[in-house]
């Protein structure tokens, strides 16, 4: 249907897998009593759910496959996905129109506080159109690049997407990324130009951008105001007309894919399922392909948008299932459930997300030392949260300075912050995460090391494992292909910023008269912490950014030691690019200087590469007034006392091991705020 403009890079984007790894199947959804904020008042009003009419609606056999539509709403951050979802829920009578509904599918506390979606949410809507009853499964997805794993999983459950674009801002970096995700998955794309009520809205300009960049004829765009509800009915109409029904088989034995799951302390695991084949009912005996364990189904239902038990779920439908799974290791995302004694070939599941950054989790200083039960509580909180957010990878780790902990892999810095906030809000676990590092690689030349690692190319997650230069052929660093969309007036400044971050320009096109799209290959470690902030501040907030995994490139990496009075502090060893070693070393020394308490002797803080010192700071000695009791004028006595004090300090400096308190480590290691 589409040919791509800007083929050189556009197609590359279409062909390349997303940073997070293209997922293979199905849709995530909402849930969980303990993890969610209070449900909005407008849901599940007694009037709606006690009515005979509604109960009849929950007879899911009434929806043949040809009357089902599965679609996602995708867009750049803040272009109005969740607001459009609100209007669709209202128009289909799913939520009460008279209430002031605002982003009702953003149920997590963190989503409401930050005003962003971080978790894809499913809602089943019942819609009557021209005498036919339709079941529309809507998935509202996050817009930020760090949560694109949620988007790619959602898209695999769908046959179409609503691509929402702000009528004032026009196409932005994540609009492009999301379009190509849908394009790769061969989904129908319905472009929806939102916020036409805004004073500065220019829907015609946006239509032209859509035609130019995505090659979608402008007459396919639907212009709406999700806020005011203007023209939203046409979106429902387009969903029915332009998105095909799913291809599934109801007569085959049950094949249900677990596309999301959460843990409820009273009901155990609640698995969100999409049925590819067959039927599932309350009382059925089911088997997990992952664990081979058998369970009895206690409850099945749909999300409307809260849980509504139904008698059965049929192929093509999306809902939830509770089957007495008490452990978080059961019902893993991507698992296939089938009927007992009717084994099926498991569905391919999802490719696991590829972590882009790693950080160590450390407990707040006040919580040290952790006793066994506290440690177990934190472990269980991490397990439960990672059940709901399967894109986080967890390694057990222990650090000399900070004790037992975990090294976690995230898809980006915002993802890491949101995970931290959710741990605190949903599980009452107060932790601090260290500044993130990226996974470097080394190609080994030493046969001894190759034998030890059983492979030639190793990934260095922990800087302590960094092999010496004499033992490697080359070091590699992860790179990403970044897309920046900006008003033309900021292009020069942005190019300078990118060059300072060692980025290489790959492409530049005008998407309209005054908007430019730039493509750069960035070393990942150059954008991970503060690139987005710098970009936003130098473009007065107008430039947008998105990136995708682009593999690895050769890099001149060095291991940088931090020394205190000549002794290496193992916990602060970092791997850095040679050209950035000085500035990073200086920053760490300065941070350490501010956090180390003064001692009786002077402390030299140095950053070193091998034997070469590249940065230095000094913490002056705490000076005791040895002359305090020395009244009167005997100058020789005073000199003697001062000399003795100086000698004592010299001696202390030589033998004095600098004790670094835990909170000083934490101050140096912990993440700088990202947003
Ligand atoms: N004027 C106007 N504002 C709108 C419209 N639609 C959404 N908004 C506002 O735009 C802001 C973002 O809307 P959301 O629906 O949260 O956007 P989103 O795309 O879901 O955001 P993320 O989930 O964070 O990616 C909110 O302040 C909405 O009130 C519209 O049609 N007109």
């Amino acid at each position: 249907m589409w040919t791509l403009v800007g083929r050189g890079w556009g197609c590359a984007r279409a062909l390349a897998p997303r940073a997070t790894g293209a997922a293979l199947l199905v849709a995530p959804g909402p849930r969980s009593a303990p993890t969610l904020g209070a449900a909005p008042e407008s849901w599940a009003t007694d009037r709606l759910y006690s009515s005979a009419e509604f109960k009849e609606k929950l007879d899911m056999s009434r929806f043949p496959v040809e009357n089902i539509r599965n679609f996602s709403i995708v867009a750049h951050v803040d272009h109005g996905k969740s607001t459009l979802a609100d209007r669709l829920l209202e128009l289909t009578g799913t939520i009460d129109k008279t209430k002031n509904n605002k982003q009702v599918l953003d149920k997590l506390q963190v989503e409401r506080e930050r005003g962003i979606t971080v978790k894809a949410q499913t809602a089943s809507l019942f819609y009557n159109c021209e005498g036919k009853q339709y079941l529309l499964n809507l998935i509202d997805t996050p817009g930020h690049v760090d949560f694109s794993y949620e988007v790619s999983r959602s898209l695999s459950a769908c046959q179409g997407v609503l691509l929402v674009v702000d009528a004032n801002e026009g196409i932005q970096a994540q609009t492009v990324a999301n379009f190509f995700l849908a394009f790769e998955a061969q989904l129908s794309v319905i472009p929806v130009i939102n916020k036409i009520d805004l004073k500065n809205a220019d829907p015609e300009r946006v239509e032209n951008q859509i035609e130019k960049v995505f090659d979608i004829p402008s007459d396919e765009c639907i212009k709406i105001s999700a806020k005011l509800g203007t023209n939203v009915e046409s979106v429902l109409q387009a969903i029915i007309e332009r998105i095909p029904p799913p291809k599934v088989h109801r007569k085959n034995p049950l094949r249900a894919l677990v596309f999301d799951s959460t843990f409820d302390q009273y009901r155990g695991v609640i698995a969100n399922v999409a049925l590819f084949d067959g039927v599932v009912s309350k009382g059925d005996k089911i088997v997990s392909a992952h664990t081979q364990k058998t369970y009895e189904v206690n409850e099945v239902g749909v999300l409307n948008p809260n849980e509504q038990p139904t008698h059965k779920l049929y192929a093509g439908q999306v809902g939830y299932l509770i089957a007495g799974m008490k452990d978080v290791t059961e019902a893993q995302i991507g698992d296939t459930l089938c009927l007992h004694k009717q084994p099926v070939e498991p569905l391919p599941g999802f490719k696991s997300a590829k972590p882009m950054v790693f950080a160590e989790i450390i407990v707040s200083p006040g919580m040290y030392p952790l006793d066994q039960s506290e440690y177990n509580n934190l472990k269980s909180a991490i397990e439960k949260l990672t059940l709901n957010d399967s894109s986080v990878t967890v390694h057990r780790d222990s650090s000399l300075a900070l004790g037992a902990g975990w090294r976690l892999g995230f898809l980006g810095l915002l993802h890491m912050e949101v995970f931290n906030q959710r741990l605190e809000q949903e599980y009452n676990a107060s932790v601090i995460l260290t500044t993130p590092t990226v996974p470097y690689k080394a190609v080994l030349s030493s046969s001894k090391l190759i034998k030890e690692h059983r492979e030639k190319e190793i990934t260095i997650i922990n800087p302590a494992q960094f092999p010496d230069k004499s033992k490697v052929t080359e070091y590699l660093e992860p790179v990403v292909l970044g897309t920046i969309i900006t008003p033309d007036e900021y292009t020069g400044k942005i190019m300078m910023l990118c060059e300072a971050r060692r980025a290489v320009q790959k492409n530049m096109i005008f998407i309209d008269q005054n908007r430019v799209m730039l493509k750069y290959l960035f070393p990942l470690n150059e954008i991970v912490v503060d690139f987005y902030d710098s970009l936003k501040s130098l473009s007065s907030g107008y430039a947008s950014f998105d990136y995708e995994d682009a593999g690895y490139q050769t890099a001149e990496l060095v291991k940088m030691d931090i020394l205190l009075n000549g002794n290496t502090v193992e916990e602060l060893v970092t791997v850095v690019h040679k050209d950035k070693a000085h500035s990073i070393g200086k920053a760490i020394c300065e941070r350490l200087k501010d956090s180390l308490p003064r001692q009786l002797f002077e402390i030299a803080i140095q950053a070193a590469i091998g034997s070469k010192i590249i940065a230095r700071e000094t913490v002056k000695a705490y000076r005791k007034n040895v002359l305090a009791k020395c009244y009167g004028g005997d100058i020789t006595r005073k000199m003697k006392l001062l000399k003795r004090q100086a000698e004592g300090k010299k001696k202390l400096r030589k033998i004095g091991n600098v004790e670094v308190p835990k909170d000083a480590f934490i101050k140096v290691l912990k993440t700088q705020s990202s947003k």
Side-chain angles (χ1 to χ4, degrees):
M1 182 176 170
W2 299 290
T3 49
L4 303 175
V5 255
R7 232 167 228 294
W9 50 270
C11 286
R13 166 100 217 193
L15 295 172
R18 286 278 303 167
T20 47
L24 294 177
L25 283 169
V26 172
R31 257 246 33 69
S32 166
T35 62
L36 306 180
E41 237 185 279
S42 51
W43 292 9
T45 54
D46 291 344
R47 184 184 57 73
L48 266 175
Y49 290 134
S50 60
S51 67
E53 183 201 2
F54 187 79
K55 287 203 169 115
E56 193 201 314
K57 272 184 184 171
L58 291 179
D59 173 7
M60 301 306 286
S61 67
R62 294 176 323 118
F63 300 102
V65 176
E66 60 271 21
N67 287 10
I68 297 178
R69 301 289 181 274
N70 297 322
F71 66 99
S72 273
I73 311 183
V74 297
H76 185 77
V77 180
D78 277 353
H79 279 200
K81 294 176 290 295
S82 304
T83 309
L84 174 58
D86 290 344
R87 295 298 88 75
L88 295 176
L89 292 171
E90 285 174 0
L91 270 177
T92 51
T94 314
I95 56 174
D96 201 334
K97 226 184 219 169
T98 57
K99 300 277 165 53
N100 184 18
N101 298 310
K102 277 202 178 133
Q103 289 101 19
V104 297
L105 289 181
D106 286 346
K107 294 182 247 172
L108 298 173
Q109 190 180 342
V110 61
E111 293 179 316
R112 298 210 150 253
E113 281 175 14
R114 289 183 179 246
I116 56 166
T117 308
V118 304
K119 196 72 197 128
Q121 302 289 357
T122 309
S124 297
L125 322 178
F126 307 113
Y127 180 56
N128 287 340
C129 177
E130 291 167 3
K132 282 191 188 162
Q133 291 179 325
Y134 287 92
L135 174 65
L136 311 180
N137 293 313
L138 169 163
I139 305 167
D140 181 20
T141 62
H144 194 280
V145 56
D146 281 14
F147 306 103
S148 52
Y149 186 62
E150 292 282 318
V151 182
S152 53
R153 275 195 305 147
S154 310
L155 293 193
S156 18
C158 298
Q159 287 70 49
V161 297
L162 303 179
L163 180 70
V164 178
V165 189
D166 182 308
N168 174 31
E169 290 192 358
I171 289 180
Q172 295 293 325
Q174 270 107 48
T175 321
V176 179
N178 285 323
F179 169 79
F180 283 110
L181 274 181
F183 183 79
E184 283 162 43
Q186 303 185 342
L187 306 184
S188 307
V189 176
I190 303 175
V192 177
I193 301 177
N194 186 31
K195 307 197 188 182
I196 56 168
D197 60 293
L198 286 177
K199 209 167 83 209
N200 297 330
D202 188 350
E204 281 70 38
R205 180 176 61 95
V206 179
E207 258 177 9
N208 292 335
Q209 288 178 354
I210 289 174
E211 187 153 352
K212 177 162 186 195
V213 180
F214 306 137
D215 203 19
I216 301 179
S218 53
D219 60 6
E220 287 188 20
C221 297
I222 305 173
K223 296 172 203 156
I224 66 160
S225 163
K227 191 172 179 178
L228 306 181
T230 317
N231 206 22
V232 178
E233 292 89 347
S234 328
V235 176
L236 279 173
Q237 199 60 38
I239 291 167
I240 304 283
E241 285 167 7
R242 299 195 215 166
I243 298 177
K247 289 194 179 105
V248 293
H249 306 281
R250 289 194 173 170
K251 294 219 164 91
N252 288 355
L254 174 72
R255 262 207 309 182
L257 182 85
V258 178
F259 61 84
D260 202 359
S261 61
T262 43
F263 191 80
D264 181 301
Q265 57 175 322
Y266 303 109
R267 299 192 288 174
V269 174
I270 300 173
N272 287 3
V273 289
L275 268 67
F276 281 77
D277 288 315
V279 183
V280 66
S281 324
K282 184 177 170 181
D284 279 348
K285 283 234 159 64
I286 54 163
V287 179
S288 146
H290 177 65
T291 61
Q292 287 301 313
K293 285 190 186 165
T294 305
Y295 305 91
E296 184 173 321
V297 177
N298 301 329
E299 187 176 320
V300 290
V302 291
L303 299 150
N304 186 254
N306 55 347
E307 289 156 10
Q308 282 305 315
T310 59
H311 301 297
K312 292 173 191 280
L313 279 178
Y314 297 83
Q317 297 174 352
V318 171
Y320 71 93
L321 179 154
I322 302 174
M325 298 166 179
K326 291 284 173 227
D327 194 303
V328 286
T329 56
E330 297 166 277
Q332 293 282 345
I333 290 178
D335 196 2
T336 302
L337 304 174
C338 64
L339 289 178
H340 184 55
K341 295 195 177 147
Q342 291 191 26
V344 294
E345 185 66 23
L347 293 154
F350 302 105
K351 273 189 196 162
S352 41
K354 184 178 164 197
M356 303 298 274
V357 297
F358 287 93
E360 247 181 86
I361 204 163
I362 47 184
V363 186
S364 300
M367 282 178 75
Y368 272 104
L370 262 194
D371 69 25
Q372 194 57 35
S373 75
E374 283 167 327
Y375 176 84
N376 288 343
N377 285 347
L378 184 55
K379 181 167 170 267
S380 145
I382 293 171
E383 280 172 2
K384 285 173 188 160
L385 190 49
T386 47
L387 177 75
N388 188 241
D389 183 354
S390 63
S391 57
V392 178
T393 56
V394 184
H395 304 265
R396 276 275 293 109
D397 198 18
S398 69
S399 131
L400 288 175
L402 304 164
W406 294 267
R407 188 172 286 269
L408 305 180
F410 299 98
L411 301 179
L413 204 62
L414 179 63
H415 182 210
M416 176 170 139
E417 286 185 1
V418 164
F419 184 87
N420 197 357
Q421 198 174 336
R422 288 187 69 188
L423 258 186
E424 194 163 328
Q425 290 176 339
E426 296 166 25
Y427 297 95
N428 213 5
S430 165
V431 298
I432 290 171
L433 289 160
T434 59
T435 306
T437 53
V438 303
Y440 293 112
K441 285 185 176 181
V443 182
L444 302 172
S445 58
S446 143
S447 44
K448 191 170 161 242
L449 273 186
I450 297 174
K451 213 166 158 194
E452 214 173 274
H453 288 280
R454 295 211 196 108
E455 55 190 351
K456 209 166 170 212
E457 194 175 285
I458 58 163
T459 303
I460 308 151
I461 295 174
N462 188 337
Q465 306 156 344
F466 191 75
D468 190 75
K469 205 171 176 189
S470 62
K471 297 185 174 115
V472 303
T473 318
E474 59 175 346
Y475 296 115
L476 303 168
E477 64 178 342
V479 283
V480 293
L481 187 62
T483 304
I484 298 168
I485 296 188
T486 174
D488 187 27
E489 63 202 275
Y490 304 109
T491 310
K493 281 191 204 165
I494 290 176
M495 285 172 147
M496 278 161 65
L497 172 71
C498 294
E499 273 155 35
R501 302 297 178 112
R502 301 192 287 122
V504 178
Q505 197 186 95
K506 292 288 168 191
N507 205 317
M508 173 173 164
I509 64 157
F510 276 83
I511 61 169
D512 65 21
Q513 278 160 350
N514 51 19
R515 286 205 163 249
V516 178
M517 176 149 58
L518 299 157
K519 289 267 173 180
Y520 273 90
L521 194 66
F522 286 93
L524 177 61
N525 71 347
E526 295 286 345
I527 58 158
V528 113
V529 177
D530 58 353
F531 177 77
Y532 187 69
D533 284 346
S534 309
L535 182 72
K536 280 277 167 199
S537 82
L538 67 75
S539 66
S540 311
Y542 285 115
S544 64
F545 180 62
D546 187 275
Y547 60 82
E548 63 185 283
D549 185 9
Y552 276 78
Q553 71 180 15
T554 304
E556 289 197 63
L557 302 175
V558 288
K559 181 162 109 173
M560 185 170 70
D561 293 324
I562 299 296
L563 313 173
L564 290 182
N565 283 351
N567 298 322
T568 305
V569 187
E570 296 297 337
E571 292 72 23
L572 299 180
V573 174
T574 40
V575 174
V576 291
H577 190 271
K578 194 170 85 32
D579 297 348
K580 293 291 168 88
H582 175 70
S583 58
I584 297 174
K586 190 163 175 288
I588 296 180
C589 290
E590 281 169 2
R591 258 193 281 166
L592 203 50
K593 182 184 174 190
D594 292 342
S595 13
L596 273 182
R598 286 170 79 180
Q599 318 224 357
L600 279 172
F601 50 91
E602 189 178 279
I603 306 170
I605 308 169
Q606 294 165 310
I609 294 170
S611 56
K612 191 173 163 210
I613 304 297
I614 54 164
R616 178 190 165 117
E617 290 291 331
T618 307
V619 179
K620 289 260 179 290
Y622 170 68
R623 192 154 186 261
K624 190 179 167 199
N625 186 1
V626 285
L627 306 180
K629 288 187 186 150
C630 206
Y631 306 109
D634 183 359
I635 186 77
T636 49
R637 164 124 184 92
K638 283 183 183 167
M639 294 303 287
K640 214 166 157 186
L641 282 171
L642 287 172
K643 192 168 168 229
R644 199 181 299 157
Q645 185 187 32
E647 274 168 8
K649 284 185 176 175
K650 211 165 158 191
K651 208 162 148 195
L652 259 178
R653 190 168 67 215
K654 268 196 203 145
I655 56 159
N657 243 344
V658 184
E659 281 281 323
V660 184
K662 252 171 204 127
D663 52 346
F665 264 122
I666 290 169
K667 274 187 205 149
V668 177
L669 290 171
K670 90 174 177 200
T671 322
Q672 302 114 14
S673 165
S674 64
K675 281 197 100 185

